[in-house]
Amino acid sequence: MICAAAGSAYDCGMSTRIQSISPDSPDTQRADFGRRLHALRRDRGWTLSELSERSGLAVSTISKAERGLMSLTYDRMLQLARGIGVDMSEFFSAEGTSFAKGSFAVAPKGTFQRQETPNYVYEMLFPEIRNKAMVPMMGSLKAHDLVDFEDFVRHPGQEFLLVLEGAVTVFAEGKAPVTLRQGDSLYFDSARGHLYASAGAVDARILVVCTELSTDADGQAVAR
Amino acid sequence: MICAAAGSAYDCGMSTRIQSISPDSPDTQRADFGRRLHALRRDRGWTLSELSERSGLAVSTISKAERGLMSLTYDRMLQLARGIGVDMSEFFSAEGTSFAKGSFAVAPKGTFQRQETPNYVYEMLFPEIRNKAMVPMMGSLKAHDLVDFEDFVRHPGQEFLLVLEGAVTVFAEGKAPVTLRQGDSLYFDSARGHLYASAGAVDARILVVCTELSTDADGQAVAR
DNA sequence: AAATCATTTTTCGTATCGGAAAATTTTCTC
DNA sequence: GAGAAAATTTTCCGATACGAAAAATGATTT
């Protein structure tokens, strides 16, 4: 269902805020780098030796770096970034990579980051922008897939859904199932358990935009 | 699909890595860092000894680093960043993200300008929901319309654009015009002056989602 | 609790970084 | 162009990063 009203109004507002500068001592900063590295490793469930293999660094070096006992050289940091599979800037993203004032990014069709789960295949748009106010995703729903209501998803924020192709049945906690066709859209509180499935005989394509989600180093969506 | 951390029964599991395989040798990368550092210094018209004073590093160290003859440690890189007056991520931001972080001083107008141009026809979705975190709108752009750069729109928040049909040329302040085709998308800071026009011979249909806009009683978009 | 295994931390020798000053190159001045 | 001044590069040696292996800590099983 499309609720439509003609016309639009625009106004111009105020500027956005800018990052705060932390006047930390150099050692504090180094420790901060270590914590970030540690987080990146643990998020993947890797041990020191596993990251050691992937990066080519010695276990001891990573250990010391994570605890801020050592100041890595550029070359070693690069090896780590490659071993982890992230861009170097990830190590410093706390200050820099979040949504920046004046940001402008284009995502050509089909170049998105692909994520697969048993039921869904979706592609995260603009995974490189870390703290977006909105997280847009392109999704494909396979036809004839089983629906398991144990898989209800709940997360903070609000969610917008637009059906681009095919038809989609939306199962929402405490609501009767609704079937949306191409061009139909949906807006709801993501805290309500929800679940999508293709309604037709063919795969469906959808656009989903969420709030209060962030993008992690892999471009995965995580609750903020 | 949506992997929400908080209490989600979902395991988004396998992280598909999109990491670009840069066949650059580590030395090449190091040289890249050097060039970036050199550029930052020259942009400010500073000599090696001037940056040496500001950063506390020896002249020789900076010299070697700029030429890629040496792999700086984290601590020295931090000193340099502070001496130059930039965030650490400046050294790496261009490596991965296709995303130019541009600091912009915007001159905001006090009120919204009503978009009554024949170019734009917007349909506000869900006008009955008053305080949405996102405001999705369906838009139609007539072909062969004139573009008046006086009509640049600026407003607080972030904006997501998806081309549903046809092609759209996006004019953004301080950016070269970009033409998006069906399926292409765009994410940017709405404070940057922007303007859309149909690029093809036919009308274009777009989806726009904004933050920090509200819906008034008439279903009009107003700044929050 | 002891024993076994997995993981992290510490130790220590070597390679590399990093700074002071000399050597070289570049830029300015006449 | 010659000479002086400024800027950059090279040299050399002390300080530190880095890796291999030993020691310590933590987890699991019997």
Side-chain angles (χ1 to χ4, degrees), chain A residues 10-11 13 30 75 95 101, chain B residues 30 75 87 102 108 112-113:
Chain A
Y10 265 121
D11 137 286
R30 187 202 285 182
D75 287 353
E95 299 194 29
K101 184 177 173 184
Chain B
R30 186 201 285 183
D75 287 353
D87 184 90
F112 272 138
Q113 51 191 358

Side-chain angles (χ1 to χ4, degrees), chain A residues 3 10-13 24 30 71-72 74-75 95 101-103 105 107 109 114 120 122 133 155 158-159 221, chain B residues 1 3-4 30 71-72 74-75 82 87 99 102 104 108-109 111-113 124 133 154 184-185 187 189 192:
Chain A
C3 306
Y10 265 121
D11 137 286
C12 305
D24 295 322
R30 187 202 285 182
S71 176
L72 290 186
Y74 176 90
D75 287 353
E95 299 194 29
K101 184 177 173 184
S103 291
K109 183 180 188 175
R114 192 183 175 86
Y120 306 105
Y122 74 94
H155 50 98
Q158 302 174 16
E159 192 157 340
Chain B
M1 46 146 280
C3 301
R30 186 201 285 183
S71 176
L72 289 185
Y74 177 89
D75 287 353
R82 290 183 171 172
D87 184 90
F99 191 73
F104 266 64
K109 298 183 199 167
T111 48
F112 272 138
Q113 51 191 358
M124 167 79 54
R154 299 177 195 83
D184 292 346
S185 55
Y187 197 98
D189 182 349
R192 182 192 288 270

Side-chain angles (χ1 to χ4, degrees), chain B residues 55-215:
Chain B
S55 64
L57 294 204
V59 168
S60 58
T61 302
I62 307 174
S63 169
K64 279 178 274 193
E66 285 189 354
R67 285 173 298 145
L69 301 181
M70 188 169 148
S71 176
L72 289 185
T73 59
Y74 177 89
D75 287 353
R76 308 297 159 223
M77 288 177 12
L78 183 63
Q79 283 182 261
L80 275 177
R82 290 183 171 172
I84 296 174
V86 298
D87 184 90
M88 274 277 265
S89 60
E90 284 297 312
F91 293 139
F92 315 101
S93 52
E95 282 185 7
T97 23
S98 61
F99 191 73
K101 116 176 174 189
S103 316
F104 266 64
V106 181
K109 298 183 199 167
T111 48
F112 272 138
Q113 51 191 358
R114 227 185 154 79
Q115 294 287 18
E116 297 183 329
T117 32
N119 323 12
Y120 294 89
V121 178
Y122 273 114
E123 297 174 357
M124 167 79 54
L125 304 179
F126 313 101
E128 74 279 10
I129 309 178
R130 296 296 291 279
N131 279 321
K132 302 186 288 295
M134 302 177 282
V135 177
M137 291 171 284
M138 290 284 189
S140 293
L141 304 175
K142 295 221 169 63
H144 307 305
D145 257 335
L146 297 179
V147 173
D148 186 355
F149 291 99
E150 299 296 79
D151 288 343
F152 265 152
V153 174
R154 299 177 195 83
H155 50 97
Q158 302 173 18
E159 194 157 341
F160 168 71
L161 165 73
L162 173 68
V163 179
L164 301 172
E165 287 174 25
V168 175
T169 299
V170 178
F171 300 90
E173 218 168 26
K175 291 280 177 186
V178 185
T179 295
L180 306 177
R181 309 183 178 288
Q182 178 177 350
D184 292 346
S185 55
L186 177 72
Y187 197 98
F188 65 101
D189 182 349
S190 305
R192 182 192 288 270
H194 53 284
L195 192 58
Y196 308 140
S198 174
V202 297
D203 297 356
R205 291 221 320 135
I206 60 177
L207 170 79
V208 177
V209 188
C210 290
T211 66
E212 298 193 34
L213 292 183
S214 273
T215 313

Side-chain angles (χ1 to χ4, degrees), chain B residues 7-18:
Chain B
S8 163
Y10 234 101
D11 177 21
C12 287
M14 51 245 120
S15 53
T16 324
R17 194 155 305 119
I18 280 217

